[in-house]
Amino acid sequence: MKQYDDLEKILISEEEIRTRVAELGRAITEDYRNAPEPIVLVCILKGSVVFYTDLMRQIDHDCRLDFMIVKSYGGGTESSGNVRFVKDLDDSITGKHAIIVEDIVDSGLTLTFLRKNLITRGAKTLKICTLLDKPMRRSPKSEISVDYCGFKIPNEFVVGYGLDFDEKYRNLPEVGVLKPEVYKNV
Ligand code: IMP
């Protein structure tokens, strides 16, 4: 397939993703076993949509779905931390258990902003679940800790399984490393 020509390598296979997502679902199920309330799963569109739909089917608890679209000013392959809402949650999360479901934590600035914002709305508990984490890239200004992480990855730009570059490659079933010449030429 043409999209694969732009990849340096496959970093995480479909099988590895499936196994790990099931493990994360079991861990979340276990952690909320004694909570009578539902969990609000907050999907950060668009990047986490594939992970989100797979993850929720692995959680054996009453889950409510809600969606946010945020944009970080700056574009390219770097996050600026200046985040604006394009779409906010439909329902209030006051007094509820919420889990933010992200595709990847890089500088951590997007999640620092989101976490603070959701806490001010009075969530009863707020956790962060990310498919991928690049710990080496964390900004000193980041104030988050990840509660559930699929894979820690090196400092490389990855696409697939929902993650994009310039809105492309989201539909690849694996996570792959994009050839640097693809994003350096834009
Ligand atoms: P942060 O604010 O720097 O943590 O950036 C988080 C956001 O940047 C993610 O939700 C992605 O949209 C984007 N991002 C960071 N690294 C990558 C990557 O390697 N591939 C695709 N998107 C990325």
Side-chain angles (χ1 to χ4, degrees):
M1 189 162 67
K2 201 176 166 303
Q3 293 192 100
Y4 287 102
D5 295 345
D6 292 345
L7 297 188
E8 201 165 84
K9 63 180 177 201
I10 302 288
L11 193 65
I12 311 170
S13 70
E14 277 188 86
E15 183 60 35
E16 288 170 309
I17 294 172
R18 200 175 308 118
T19 304
R20 189 69 189 119
V21 171
E23 287 171 359
L24 291 174
R26 281 197 294 274
I28 293 171
T29 302
E30 180 56 29
D31 290 352
Y32 290 82
R33 194 159 45 98
N34 297 321
E37 309 92 350
I39 309 168
V40 181
L41 297 175
V42 177
C43 178
I44 311 301
L45 292 169
K46 304 174 193 170
S48 71
V49 68
V50 184
F51 174 46
Y52 183 83
T53 54
D54 281 347
L55 178 71
M56 69 177 165
R57 286 176 286 175
Q58 300 298 326
I59 300 173
D60 184 12
H61 196 95
D62 180 8
C63 288
R64 305 298 155 86
L65 314 186
D66 215 333
F67 302 86
M68 273 184 155
I69 302 178
V70 294
K71 283 264 181 294
S72 171
Y73 297 107
T77 59
E78 302 274 330
S79 159
S80 64
N82 298 320
V83 180
R84 78 185 156 91
F85 289 106
V86 176
K87 185 214 167 293
D88 204 346
L89 297 174
D90 288 333
D91 298 313
S92 161
I93 56 158
T94 307
K96 297 185 180 161
H97 294 296
I99 302 179
I100 302 176
V101 181
E102 246 301 22
D103 52 355
I104 186 164
V105 185
D106 190 41
S107 70
L109 295 176
T110 305
L111 274 178
T112 297
F113 171 87
L114 277 179
R115 190 174 160 278
K116 276 188 194 156
N117 185 282
L118 295 190
I119 282 173
T120 61
R121 302 185 196 193
K124 183 170 185 178
T125 63
L126 181 64
K127 290 194 178 184
I128 292 174
C129 177
T130 185
L131 176 72
L132 305 172
D133 187 5
K134 290 188 204 170
M136 283 165 62
R137 293 263 304 165
R138 201 71 87 249
S139 160
K141 292 190 207 141
S142 162
E143 295 168 25
I144 55 146
S145 62
V146 172
D147 300 285
Y148 305 100
C149 170
F151 303 89
K152 288 194 172 147
I153 63 166
N155 181 14
E156 290 178 299
F157 196 82
V158 291
V159 293
Y161 197 68
L163 289 106
D164 76 310
F165 174 70
D166 210 13
E167 293 300 325
K168 290 181 281 189
Y169 315 105
R170 291 194 197 273
N171 57 318
L172 288 173
E174 309 92 346
V175 172
V177 176
L178 196 60
K179 286 179 181 166
E181 61 259 37
V182 176
Y183 54 84
K184 284 188 177 139
N185 288 338
V186 173

